[in-house]
Amino acid sequence: MGETAGDGVRMGRSSQLTDRVASWLREAIMVGELPASSFVRTEHVAARLGVSATPVREALMLLHGEGAVRWEPRRGFRVVPLTRTDVDDLFAVQAHIAGELAARAATTLPDDGLADLHRLQRELDAAGERGELGRVGELNHQVHRTINKAAGAHRLASMLNLFVNHVPRGYYDRVPGWSDATTHDHDAVLAALDARDPAAARAAMDAHIRHIGALLADHLEQRGVLGPSPGDTAPDAARASERVSRVRRA
């Protein structure tokens, strides 16, 4: 039997379990649940997720390789501060890859696939109007997955998944504008796919991904999660540091 996370999410064995713990850690860091420069206590995470310490340690080693945490001898893993530049870079890479996949899908997506996309989008729009943001997130995933699969570029799609794993997917009810962006930005993408226009599909998807990235970065900045980026002026850096301090004192 696999292990089950404390929030009721089923976790598989071995590497799958490690990957799922790593995903939880990435999201906790991204949204500030594990604050910048704090130490990640293996036993606390294991108890929170209802797993043993081994997959937590393995997941932290993965994040160490990604630069999200830093190992300090005799002290443990410390969270590396996240900046606006980090978030912007993450979504810039996603936008480039997703845009290329959309461009390819414009010429490879069959007519019945386009019909399925429009059906999914209608369901997504209806869920948004009803305020069912969790359902919006699920349908959004299906829309993007359909486009990415239609591109027929499995390695490129796998690369995209590596970066998508850093994004808090269950955040549609927290980031202002995310649900609206999901329901509205897709119109330009679908129009480009309908027209079989690769350049327009690439541009529309690129703009969509960068848009949701900017919304997330704005939200994290307002919550004091993000630290100063390299090149920030001293006053700006000081203000960012003070925002973080105020949030932690609250």
Side-chain angles (χ1 to χ4, degrees):
M1 298 292 290
E3 296 187 64
T4 303
D7 60 3
V9 177
R10 188 76 177 170
M11 290 193 169
R13 291 179 179 274
S14 186
S15 61
Q16 288 185 346
L17 179 57
T18 298
D19 290 342
R20 290 172 184 263
V21 174
S23 293
W24 184 90
L25 288 167
R26 291 188 193 101
E27 178 166 330
I29 291 171
M30 175 72 78
V31 303
E33 186 171 344
L34 293 174
S37 300
S38 66
F39 283 98
V40 182
R41 302 304 177 191
T42 302
E43 64 277 12
H44 293 170
V45 174
R48 169 72 179 273
L49 298 181
V51 300
S52 65
T54 298
V56 178
R57 286 193 293 267
E58 292 173 348
L60 285 168
M61 287 303 297
L62 287 177
L63 268 65
H64 173 72
E66 296 169 2
V69 299
R70 180 176 58 248
W71 167 253
E72 295 186 6
R74 296 182 297 278
R75 304 193 70 186
F77 291 94
R78 187 193 289 268
V79 176
V80 174
L82 187 69
T83 69
R84 171 116 197 183
T85 298
D86 293 328
V87 178
D88 289 343
D89 288 347
L90 172 63
F91 280 89
V93 175
Q94 287 188 56
H96 178 76
I97 300 175
E100 180 59 29
L101 290 169
R104 298 188 189 190
T107 60
T108 59
L109 188 66
D111 290 342
D112 59 350
L114 269 173
D116 285 341
L117 277 177
H118 281 284
R119 175 185 56 79
L120 287 170
Q121 187 63 37
R122 287 193 296 271
E123 292 181 18
L124 190 157
D125 293 341
E129 291 176 0
R130 294 192 298 268
E132 298 172 356
L133 301 186
R135 181 61 175 158
V136 169
E138 294 172 5
L139 290 165
N140 176 65
H141 176 66
Q142 291 182 44
V143 167
H144 283 272
R145 184 172 182 269
T146 299
I147 295 171
N148 295 341
K149 286 185 66 177
H154 304 300
R155 289 178 184 258
L156 200 58
S158 294
M159 291 173 60
L160 177 62
N161 285 335
L162 292 176
F163 293 97
V164 171
N165 285 337
H166 291 260
V167 179
R169 284 175 52 184
Y171 233 48
Y172 279 86
D173 59 342
R174 304 187 199 181
V175 180
W178 256 21
S179 180
D180 289 340
T182 298
T183 56
H184 296 135
D185 290 2
H186 286 181
D187 289 345
V189 176
L190 293 178
L193 294 174
D194 285 337
R196 302 298 187 179
D197 187 335
R202 179 184 292 108
M205 184 62 78
D206 184 284
H208 170 49
I209 300 300
R210 289 178 185 271
H211 182 200
I212 62 173
L215 291 171
L216 176 61
D218 289 344
H219 175 70
L220 296 178
E221 272 191 340
Q222 291 167 9
R223 294 186 61 241
V225 172
L226 302 182
S229 296
D232 281 350
T233 62
D236 288 341
R239 283 195 294 271
S241 177
E242 176 57 25
R243 285 198 300 271
V244 174
S245 297
R246 285 200 302 271
V247 169
R248 289 179 182 171
R249 290 197 298 267

